[in-house]
Amino acid sequence: MLLLPSKKFSWILLALFFIFDAFSSYYAVSYMGGKEGNPFIASYVQNNPKLFFPIMIFGYILAYLIYSILKIMLWNFLKRFKFVTQTLVEQIVIVAIAIFYFFTVILNNSLYLIGFRVPGTLRVNLIIGLVAAPIYGLFVLYMSSKNKVIT
């Protein structure tokens, strides 16, 4: 049996990821000489690291928009299958986003904070996140088709 985390738990976990990202990025840029990896915000936060905190809120809103779009797309694709419910699709999407964010941001920040500085780590983590999130979704769908998922 596979127990899926609730949507509420998943959103709280994702919020904690965003908070950790803001604080760890702030610390790395302010006290460790780190550079921001996101080219869209790098020029702003390098000069004023306190901008990580309002950007965190914008990022969470952006994650919700991505969630909404993916949820609609996935539901429209999967609704023909009898074992798929809209709640299941919502849970898959939010957990997949959390998995992706963990591998691309949280893992990269954590490695930097403990002193692991290898060029190209972000790209490798991005690939891992892009592979792990859909694999998770497919695994949940497979388990759900066998009636082995508790939502």
Side-chain angles (χ1 to χ4, degrees):
M1 295 300 277
L2 178 66
L3 178 63
L4 289 180
S6 69
K7 289 186 294 184
K8 182 178 179 180
F9 174 81
S10 299
W11 279 112
I12 291 170
L13 181 64
L14 192 60
L16 292 174
F17 282 173
F18 273 90
I19 292 167
F20 175 79
D21 177 31
F23 278 99
S24 62
S25 296
Y26 173 80
Y27 184 80
V29 168
S30 298
Y31 301 106
M32 299 177 73
K35 304 276 186 228
E36 173 57 37
N38 182 341
F40 298 111
I41 65 170
S43 61
Y44 303 108
V45 296
Q46 289 299 131
N47 297 327
N48 187 0
K50 290 180 182 176
L51 288 176
F52 278 114
F53 302 104
I55 288 172
M56 168 193 65
I57 296 167
F58 175 73
Y60 199 70
I61 293 168
L62 184 62
Y64 182 78
L65 291 173
I66 292 169
Y67 160 79
S68 298
I69 292 167
L70 289 175
K71 176 182 72 168
I72 292 167
M73 289 172 51
L74 195 59
W75 173 243
N76 285 331
F77 180 72
L78 295 174
K79 65 184 175 184
R80 69 186 120 209
F81 299 106
K82 293 179 185 176
F83 64 90
V84 177
T85 64
Q86 192 159 3
T87 302
L88 178 67
V89 169
E90 291 169 355
Q91 287 174 300
I92 289 172
V93 171
I94 186 58
V95 174
I97 290 172
I99 288 170
F100 174 79
Y101 200 77
F102 172 80
F103 280 110
T104 57
V105 177
I106 302 304
L107 185 60
N108 201 48
N109 287 4
S110 300
L111 291 173
Y112 188 86
L113 290 175
I114 62 171
F116 188 76
R117 292 172 181 82
V118 176
T121 306
L122 181 59
R123 287 186 193 98
V124 171
N125 291 352
L126 182 64
I127 292 168
I128 292 170
L130 286 172
V131 171
I135 287 175
Y136 164 79
L138 291 172
F139 177 71
V140 170
L141 288 172
Y142 171 76
M143 293 298 283
S144 182
S145 72
K146 304 290 184 197
N147 291 325
K148 294 185 178 184
V149 172
I150 301 172
T151 57

